[in-house]
Amino acid sequence: MSDIIDLDALVPEARKIKIGGKVIDVPPPKTVHILKLGQLGQKLDMAADMETSELEVVVSKLQDLICEVIPDLVGIELTTSQLMSLIAILGEMSTPKDDSVTTGEKGVDTDPKA
């Protein structure tokens, strides 16, 4: 067993999206972005109980957060379906796959007994 664990091998690859005819790279979100996304998602779950102005603030914050992760989207107003799709993509990128498969394929051994 190697004494070096390559954590870089566990970073998800960037994805690509197309909007307005332009192809844009979507980098893996940072942990802080995922935490903020989770907080805003919880607020959206309570949308039925919100005033319209409160809901607009949450959606605006989501748009801003998406633009923080993907700066090429600054100035582009996203539709609801586009925003929700991007949230799903970022969520997928932040969710580790089955550790035993992913790390094994990347040459990372997580067995402490080995």
Side-chain angles (χ1 to χ4, degrees):
M1 175 180 102
S2 172
D3 290 338
I4 299 173
I5 297 174
D6 185 3
L7 295 179
D8 292 329
L10 301 175
V11 176
E13 292 181 24
R15 307 258 313 257
K16 294 189 181 296
I17 59 169
K18 183 175 161 184
I19 187 165
K22 182 179 177 186
V23 176
I24 297 173
D25 286 327
V26 178
K30 295 179 181 176
T31 302
V32 68
H33 296 135
I34 294 305
L35 294 174
K36 288 179 182 179
L37 195 60
Q39 289 175 337
L40 291 170
Q42 286 177 341
K43 288 182 181 180
L44 269 185
D45 287 342
M46 299 181 291
D49 299 329
M50 287 183 178
E51 298 290 325
T52 302
S53 60
E54 291 175 292
L55 187 55
E56 288 172 350
V57 168
V58 172
V59 171
S60 178
K61 285 182 179 184
L62 273 171
Q63 172 99 14
D64 291 346
L65 180 59
I66 295 294
C67 289
E68 191 176 316
V69 177
I70 312 166
D72 288 341
L73 292 178
V74 171
I76 298 173
E77 189 168 335
L78 301 170
T79 65
T80 303
S81 59
Q82 290 169 327
L83 185 62
M84 299 311 284
S85 292
L86 285 169
I87 291 168
I89 289 167
L90 294 175
E92 288 170 15
M93 291 175 79
S94 68
T95 305
K97 295 183 176 26
D98 177 19
D99 227 13
S100 61
V101 173
T102 303
T103 55
E105 290 174 358
K106 302 281 186 181
V108 177
D109 186 359
T110 57
D111 184 1
K113 298 175 195 169

